[in-house]
Amino acid sequence: MTGATQQPIRFLLSDMDGTLLLPDHTLSQRTIAAVRSLREAGVLFSLATGRPPKAMLQQIEALGVDVPTAAFNGGTIVNPDGSLLVAHYLPATAALTTLAQFADLPDIEVWVFSGGDWLLKDAYGPMVPREQHGLGYPPVVVESFEPYLERIDKIVAASNNTGLLIELEAQLLPKVEGQAQVSRSQPVYLDVTAMQANKGAALATLAEYLGVALEQTAALGDGGNDPAMFHCAGLSIAMGQAEEAVKRQADVVTGANTEDGAAQAIERYILPRHPT
């Protein structure tokens, strides 16, 4: 976050769930039109999400994204043709610590993402239908996560008990300090990824790749994993429904995702800065 710079914005990096997407995981026509207006103005646009790469394909196509995108909170950066530009895996020691912390807790579902697959032990957990709807593909049921320890992209604790996830975050952080990032991407998800897997590093990597100075970048998001890119961007924008701790770390706040807040942000804060 660099304050009230008025430089033209040449690159916008946006979160997806809770930001670009409506609660039913769809894109509004206003949002699609706003992103189209960015492209017409010569502003580059990409996505940074906690989702796996293949759970972004529909949105990439709908929005016409033609530059690399960041999945797994920046742990994986993927070229438009699907090839990997960057991949950071969770260290096995941190994965074991995390899985031990999450094991056998009531109200907690544990998911592991590896090699493009969504792995879990219980296919009938109450959070599974929501995730499957959002991702667009089903999970793979496994007896153990151990065979995947060397190539884990992300571990998620999922629960409708937000207070419990906040407690878990506080308990886990000191145990994996220096080894892993721990953040709530949404109130119901606690994500654990590699140290290098954060949206701030993703923004810096993408900006350098695209030849854009950080002062001419903008970041848009709503979750606990988004301030990392807020602090790197020339302009940071929080969604209206974001938690107060997230809003405080942004330069400006736009409307909620139910109010086309992403489109509002593009129309109000980005397009007017771009020379016509």
Side-chain angles (χ1 to χ4, degrees):
M1 183 170 62
T2 59
T5 176
Q6 290 298 314
Q7 289 199 46
I9 298 299
R10 295 181 53 215
F11 173 46
L12 169 62
L13 186 60
S14 177
D15 173 52
M16 285 177 53
D17 296 281
T19 300
L20 287 176
L21 302 183
L22 294 165
D24 65 358
H25 303 293
T26 62
L27 287 161
S28 74
Q29 287 305 307
R30 183 177 175 186
T31 297
I32 292 171
V35 172
R36 185 185 308 120
S37 295
L38 281 179
R39 292 202 308 273
E40 291 169 352
V43 181
L44 298 164
F45 175 83
S46 190
L47 306 170
T49 176
R51 291 181 178 218
K54 68 179 181 180
M56 304 165 66
L57 297 177
Q58 183 178 348
Q59 291 77 19
I60 287 170
E61 182 177 358
L63 295 167
V65 179
D66 56 2
V67 299
T69 52
F72 296 126
N73 297 333
T76 299
I77 298 180
V78 185
N79 288 307
D81 66 1
S83 61
L84 281 179
L85 183 64
V86 173
H88 298 295
Y89 300 112
L90 188 64
T93 51
L96 285 169
T97 300
T98 300
L99 292 170
Q101 184 75 34
F102 293 170
D104 302 323
L105 290 174
D107 297 330
I108 293 290
E109 295 172 50
V110 181
W111 303 335
V112 169
F113 290 86
S114 175
D117 288 324
W118 166 29
L119 310 172
L120 46 68
K121 295 181 181 179
D122 178 11
Y124 301 101
M127 301 292 291
V128 170
R130 169 189 171 134
E131 184 73 355
Q132 183 165 334
H133 176 68
L135 294 180
Y137 61 89
V140 176
V141 179
V142 297
E143 291 186 5
S144 170
F145 297 126
E146 192 169 338
Y148 306 93
L149 286 176
E150 299 301 323
R151 289 178 63 89
I152 290 179
D153 296 293
K154 182 174 71 166
I155 299 174
V156 179
S159 176
N160 281 313
N161 188 338
T162 299
L164 178 56
L165 291 181
I166 292 172
E167 291 177 17
L168 264 184
E169 182 178 9
Q171 292 166 7
L172 181 60
L173 272 167
K175 295 182 179 180
V176 295
E177 185 175 4
Q179 299 180 67
Q181 297 275 349
V182 183
S183 64
R184 284 182 303 120
S185 56
Q186 296 183 53
V188 296
Y189 297 146
L190 180 62
D191 293 353
V192 184
T193 54
M195 279 300 295
Q196 307 94 321
N198 72 83
K199 292 186 180 182
L203 175 60
T205 298
L206 289 169
E208 181 178 10
Y209 180 84
L210 297 169
V212 177
L214 285 175
E215 294 79 9
Q216 295 184 318
T217 66
L220 176 62
D222 75 306
N225 56 348
D226 293 320
M229 62 177 176
F230 289 178
H231 297 306
C232 289
L235 173 67
S236 54
I237 308 165
M239 297 297 291
Q241 84 285 355
E243 294 179 0
E244 287 302 317
V246 173
K247 291 181 184 178
R248 285 196 298 268
Q249 297 178 76
D251 294 320
V252 293
V253 177
T254 186
N257 64 326
T258 53
E259 304 166 337
D260 284 326
Q264 290 180 38
I266 290 169
E267 295 160 1
R268 179 176 180 183
Y269 299 115
I270 297 176
L271 290 175
R273 292 188 178 201
H274 202 270
T276 56

